[in-house]
Amino acid sequence: MTKHVDEMKIVDCVLNRLDEREKRQVEAHLKTCSTCREKWGHWRAVLAQESEIEPSDALNRRMTFSIQRKVAPFRHTRWRKPLFVLMSIAAFMMFAIGLKQHGDVWPIHEPDMAKKGYVIAQHDAVPEQKLLLEPETNRKPVMPLINENISGEIWLNTETNELMFLADGLVPLERNDYQLWIVHVGDYWNGHLLELRDGSTRVYYKAEDIRSLKYLKVSVEPQGGSLTPTGPEIFHIDLIEAEKGR
Amino acid sequence: MDEKGKRLLQAINENSEYAFNEFYRMYAPFVLKIAKQLVSDPLEAEDICHDIFLEVFEKPGEYDDAKGTVKAWLAVKTKHRSIDRLRKKKPVLVRKLEQLDTKEAVKTELEVLKSLEKNVLLEALAHLPEKQREVIYGAYFENKTQTELARTLNKPLGTIKSNVRYGLNNLRKYKKLRQWFA
């Protein structure tokens, strides 16, 4: 009895991906084997349709989150309640005062928050707030995934439901943008392009329940941003793990 | 394209999420096309596509380039998973069968239908209107409708129909159906 041709070879035959020698062998076999011939006919019918189908946004999102669940979360560093906080408070106060003096501090738009469920602001738009002064605020340094020259930290206050993400050393990109992804426990997300100033980014985020956040990540995306993360990741900050590690 | 696919699989094996995204972007439309063709249901097809790529991410080393191209590997994987889905979800199978309303349509699906356990197929067929069931059943056994079977076998159509009905209800005897007709 002739041994059947592996189905992958049959598919490659239909896709015209075999070299001449293999093609001749498979075609010769098909003439004598009705089982393989039926398979060949089946694949020819299935693959005859020219157009391929683009996955929906819903599938893309689901795929991304399934993969995220599989990849190892970021390296652990414990939250510090810190001496560092005291030092940073001064820096932040100077920053806030500086902004106020320039008159370009944006207030938090509560109606906007009611509509979207969160407020996000960057750089000059970061509202004057007490996040860094609050005793409940915790700071955590975060490690970049691909470039040691980049540094980052996150400030999180689960009482006031506020968060601040700061990073330095980001290289401006000519044809791409950095995009921040704020991912919630329910597996939905908000994506925001990061505004760079001298390689730094400052992002403020306030939500109705900050504990509903699962992780933040920053990835390199095509200019103007993507609907779903596609590029290499710079940061991946697991907020659930971070909370546990407090 | 296939060389790129192989390189991406190697990178996925080294836990590169970026490589996976690229691999997914390259091949998801191909996988979706096959899955949709096989299960005739866009949502189920997306579900299958999701499962396939998750499996690729977890076990990229399963690909053996000696057996064929990356596309062929994904195609066969998609077929197996689609058949599995039809086997496990009767409503999906019934919906698929409902769309097989011509002999030609059934013929192109015979490979899939034959991969299903006969009792699964017969149970699903029992949910279809009789006329359609007749088309599929006839095509399945001899690519003939019951009317053609009656003419070929020189038997009354009523006899053929009752035999078919009996065959549908009697799973153990389906193999002998053709012998009853003869």
Side-chain angles (χ1 to χ4, degrees):
Chain A
M1 190 180 135
T2 325
K3 197 179 167 192
H4 294 306
V5 173
D6 190 289
E7 193 163 7
M8 278 171 67
K9 286 280 179 242
I10 292 177
V11 176
D12 277 334
C13 183
V14 174
L15 291 171
N16 209 14
R17 296 293 191 87
L18 298 179
D19 61 38
E20 276 308 312
R21 188 182 57 85
E22 277 184 314
K23 192 178 167 191
R24 276 198 303 275
Q25 282 175 349
V26 172
E27 284 175 349
H29 177 82
L30 292 179
K31 284 179 185 163
T32 60
C33 177
S34 60
T35 307
C36 290
R37 204 162 48 241
E38 271 185 31
K39 277 197 168 64
W40 178 82
H42 161 73
W43 280 112
R44 200 177 57 156
V46 170
L47 298 170
Q49 201 186 339
E50 284 291 317
S51 56
E52 296 187 340
I53 302 170
E54 284 303 319
S56 67
D57 286 347
L59 175 59
N60 291 338
R61 280 198 297 274
R62 188 176 162 208
M63 200 72 245
T64 303
F65 283 113
S66 297
I67 296 305
Q68 290 297 342
R69 278 192 209 104
K70 300 281 173 192
V71 294
F74 77 82
R75 313 149 214 188
H76 256 291
T77 43
R78 289 186 64 80
W79 287 89
R80 283 185 240 153
K81 274 244 198 183
L83 253 180
F84 179 87
V85 170
L86 295 171
M87 291 162 66
S88 302
I89 286 169
F92 181 76
M93 283 179 76
M94 287 171 69
F95 172 62
I97 290 165
L99 290 179
K100 198 167 187 182
Q101 281 173 347
H102 282 86
D104 53 3
V105 174
W106 292 8
I108 299 176
H109 298 294
E110 293 299 342
D112 193 28
M113 183 166 169
K115 193 169 140 199
K116 292 197 296 187
Y118 67 92
V119 167
I120 189 159
Q122 296 189 51
H123 293 288
D124 298 348
V126 172
E128 182 186 6
Q129 38 75 48
K130 298 175 183 168
L131 172 65
L132 306 190
L133 303 175
E134 295 287 346
E136 296 84 4
T137 299
N138 291 287
R139 173 200 165 261
K140 182 182 192 308
V142 288
M143 304 299 289
L145 295 171
I146 60 170
N147 184 343
E148 289 178 2
N149 295 324
I150 301 171
S151 61
E153 59 191 66
I154 192 154
W155 298 68
L156 181 70
N157 190 322
T158 51
E159 301 295 318
T160 60
N161 290 310
E162 291 169 297
L163 176 154
M164 178 85 98
F165 170 66
L166 309 102
D168 295 306
L170 293 163
V171 180
L173 304 169
E174 266 183 38
R175 294 183 181 174
N176 295 84
D177 280 323
Y178 293 100
Q179 192 162 357
L180 172 71
W181 305 92
I182 300 170
V183 184
H184 300 253
V185 172
D187 282 353
Y188 64 93
W189 62 39
N190 315 115
H192 298 274
L193 288 183
L194 289 181
E195 205 183 317
L196 285 195
R197 294 199 182 169
D198 297 322
S200 299
T201 183
R202 304 277 181 275
V203 184
Y204 168 82
Y205 181 85
K206 179 177 170 70
E208 284 165 358
D209 181 10
I210 206 91
R211 289 174 197 271
S212 72
L213 298 187
K214 195 152 92 180
Y215 58 86
L216 300 184
K217 73 176 187 176
V218 175
S219 61
V220 175
E221 299 297 335
Q223 237 168 21
S226 303
L227 290 174
T228 57
T230 60
E233 284 186 33
I234 310 296
F235 286 105
H236 186 110
I237 308 160
D238 189 325
L239 296 170
I240 294 175
E241 283 301 309
E243 263 299 287
K244 282 183 200 161
R246 281 181 65 178
Chain B
M1 182 175 179
D2 209 60
E3 280 309 310
K4 190 177 176 188
K6 286 180 198 172
R7 281 203 306 276
L8 289 173
L9 280 172
Q10 283 166 3
I12 295 168
N13 211 14
E14 290 155 12
N15 298 321
S16 166
E17 199 181 339
Y18 178 69
F20 175 81
N21 287 341
E22 191 63 11
F23 188 87
Y24 171 75
R25 193 186 57 74
M26 274 172 66
Y27 293 109
F30 175 72
V31 166
L32 264 180
K33 173 175 101 165
I34 296 172
K36 178 152 181 289
Q37 184 94 350
L38 295 180
V39 294
S40 308
D41 182 316
L43 287 179
E44 288 296 332
E46 290 212 335
D47 221 28
I48 290 164
C49 183
H50 168 268
D51 292 354
I52 295 273
F53 280 94
L54 200 56
E55 198 178 306
V56 167
F57 185 75
E58 290 175 318
K59 300 169 190 169
E62 280 189 352
Y63 169 67
D64 178 358
D65 67 348
K67 287 186 175 175
T69 60
V70 173
K71 264 193 158 181
W73 179 57
L74 290 172
V76 173
K77 246 180 178 336
T78 307
K79 179 185 164 188
H80 290 158
R81 203 165 269 268
S82 299
I83 289 170
D84 201 44
R85 187 63 56 109
L86 291 170
R87 186 180 290 134
K88 287 177 180 163
K89 294 180 90 170
K90 197 159 74 178
V92 179
L93 177 58
V94 171
R95 276 201 301 277
K96 178 183 173 63
L97 295 176
E98 278 169 356
Q99 291 172 41
L100 302 180
D101 50 3
T102 63
K103 230 166 37 172
E104 287 65 36
V106 180
K107 275 173 78 175
T108 62
E109 299 294 335
L110 276 181
E111 170 74 14
V112 172
L113 299 184
K114 285 180 177 174
S115 304
L116 299 167
E117 285 78 11
K118 301 300 180 288
N119 60 331
V120 173
L121 180 61
L122 291 172
E123 275 179 39
L125 279 173
H127 288 79
L128 298 186
E130 188 174 345
K131 194 172 175 204
Q132 198 171 0
R133 191 165 57 194
E134 182 184 315
V135 170
I136 296 171
Y137 205 83
Y140 184 85
F141 282 100
E142 279 194 328
N143 296 333
K144 287 183 171 146
T145 63
Q146 287 185 10
T147 310
E148 285 171 328
L149 281 172
R151 200 179 303 128
T152 308
L153 300 168
N154 199 22
K155 298 272 184 190
L157 183 59
T159 308
I160 299 293
K161 283 185 175 178
S162 60
N163 279 345
V164 168
R165 201 171 302 120
Y166 185 63
L168 290 172
N169 294 331
N170 191 337
L171 306 180
R172 283 177 302 175
K173 291 184 179 173
Y174 79 92
K175 284 180 181 169
K176 294 179 181 170
L177 198 58
R178 285 171 63 189
Q179 293 165 10
W180 302 341
F181 291 145

